[in-house]
Amino acid sequence: MPHSLDIVLTDFKSDVARVENLLTLTKLFRDFGASEPPPAKAAPSEPPPAEEKGPEDEKITGKIWKEAVDLHTESKSRRTDLPILSGSLLLYLAGRFEYYIRQIVESIADEIAGKTQKFQDLPNQIQKSLRQKTLEIAQNPKKYGHDELTSEALLESLVINIRGGGQCLSIKSEVLSITDANMRPAVLQDLMKTVGLTDFWRDVGKQANIKIVMGKSLDQEAAAEAQTKLNQIMEERNQIAHPTATTEFPDADKVLKSAEFLNILAATTADLGKVYLATYVVQ
């Protein structure tokens, strides 16, 4: 049976692949707009019989392909606007990565809870975060997408878990993944620390795939470069989400590189989570 973290990673990679396909299509559209159509040939009065058609006849059907002409005309005038489309895909990509990290955190917490008999045996940081964030939601439900009823249900679940209640331990792990900011390096590290991965970026820097994509051989340098790259992506995401007259939108090639990096960072995060869970021992 696939590990829960592998399932989350597969879904993320599938969505990233869609982004990459759309970016490739954007590049083709850009190149199409920069091209010039071949010289027009006189159309024959009647097309040759199908059995007599050659390769050239397949290209010249006796009609001008109006849709292709219209597309070429439009693409020539829209080529300079294509970075807006690429930027929109980066916006989606950054948001999808943030959602992926939240899913990873929740999956790790759920697996830990599944190995635990009572609330007090959970890692201290998970206990602390469940209390703190549940109270934050209760004090300001709308800020976190809740209403009075759902926030009270979270409080009730927390109380039952703390008291024992004679039931199996079942935490509301979605509470643990709440953030107030974009998934910058510090936010990502804090979320991982919540479920017990206390040296996340240090461990990331040790991974060969991260060193290769970052072009760094030393652990510390690879970790620092990965954090810089993630910060750049989130900075671009914010500029695109709140554009001004001076906002520069990235081209398709740049967003493709960001997609490659996030794919590798996502896979590394899942691997570190699986190693942690495989070696986790209930205290």
Side-chain angles (χ1 to χ4, degrees):
M1 179 180 294
H3 196 283
S4 61
L5 300 190
D6 286 329
I7 295 173
V8 173
L9 177 62
T10 297
D11 288 343
F12 174 75
K13 283 183 171 291
S14 177
D15 285 341
V16 172
R18 292 189 182 95
V19 171
E20 291 172 331
N21 290 337
L22 288 170
L23 288 166
T24 300
L25 182 62
T26 299
K27 291 177 63 178
L28 292 173
F29 187 74
R30 178 196 64 195
D31 295 342
F32 182 56
S35 67
E36 292 296 335
K41 291 187 177 182
S45 57
E46 292 184 6
E51 62 271 13
E52 297 179 11
K53 285 185 178 181
E56 195 64 25
D57 294 318
E58 293 294 336
K59 299 176 184 177
I60 307 299
T61 62
K63 284 186 177 182
I64 296 176
W65 189 0
K66 180 180 181 302
E67 290 80 3
V69 173
D70 290 345
L71 180 61
H72 184 263
T73 301
E74 189 68 16
S75 64
K76 286 180 73 70
S77 61
R78 300 299 175 206
R79 289 181 68 243
T80 56
D81 294 333
L82 289 178
I84 297 177
L85 178 57
S86 300
S88 298
L89 289 171
L90 177 63
L91 189 64
Y92 167 78
L93 191 62
R96 184 62 182 84
F97 178 73
E98 292 176 1
Y99 178 60
Y100 166 79
I101 293 299
R102 291 198 297 270
Q103 287 182 299
I104 289 291
V105 169
E106 292 166 18
S107 295
I108 292 174
D110 286 337
E111 187 158 335
I112 290 173
K115 299 177 179 180
T116 309
Q117 295 298 316
K118 57 183 181 178
F119 185 85
Q120 289 72 19
D121 290 336
L122 287 170
N124 290 335
Q125 189 58 45
I126 290 182
Q127 293 185 47
K128 179 180 176 181
S129 294
L130 282 171
R131 290 190 179 97
Q132 178 183 337
K133 294 187 176 184
T134 300
L135 291 175
E136 288 178 7
I137 294 172
Q139 291 170 351
N140 195 351
K142 292 183 179 179
K143 179 180 178 181
Y144 300 102
H146 287 270
D147 55 30
E148 295 296 334
L149 289 177
T150 58
S151 64
E152 287 177 4
L154 289 176
L155 278 172
E156 182 179 0
S157 174
L158 177 63
V159 171
I160 290 174
N161 279 325
I162 292 175
R163 290 178 176 175
Q167 301 178 12
C168 295
L169 181 63
S170 177
I171 65 173
K172 301 295 183 181
S173 59
E174 64 272 19
V175 170
L176 297 171
S177 66
I178 290 174
T179 62
D180 290 326
N182 300 136
M183 199 60 64
R184 293 181 183 271
V187 175
L188 175 50
Q189 178 170 274
D190 287 344
L191 283 177
M192 291 301 159
K193 190 179 295 184
T194 296
V195 290
L197 281 78
T198 55
D199 296 306
F200 176 74
W201 284 113
R202 187 192 67 178
D203 293 339
V204 164
K206 295 178 180 179
Q207 310 308 308
N209 54 355
I210 291 293
K211 289 179 178 178
I212 291 170
V213 75
M214 294 292 97
K216 302 292 183 181
S217 60
L218 299 179
D219 297 356
Q220 189 173 359
E221 291 181 357
E225 193 68 18
Q227 291 178 72
T228 297
K229 179 62 177 177
L230 180 58
N231 200 56
Q232 289 172 347
I233 291 173
M234 292 303 159
E235 187 62 35
E236 288 179 348
R237 176 247 178 245
N238 288 341
Q239 291 177 4
I240 294 166
H242 308 285
T244 65
T246 59
T247 299
E248 293 186 10
F249 291 88
D251 62 21
D253 289 320
K254 186 174 184 181
V255 181
L256 280 168
K257 289 181 180 178
S258 295
E260 178 190 14
F261 168 73
L262 291 179
N263 250 338
I264 292 172
L265 181 58
T268 299
T269 302
D271 286 343
L272 291 175
K274 287 189 292 182
V275 170
Y276 172 68
L277 288 172
T279 58
Y280 175 78
V281 177
V282 179
Q283 300 300 317

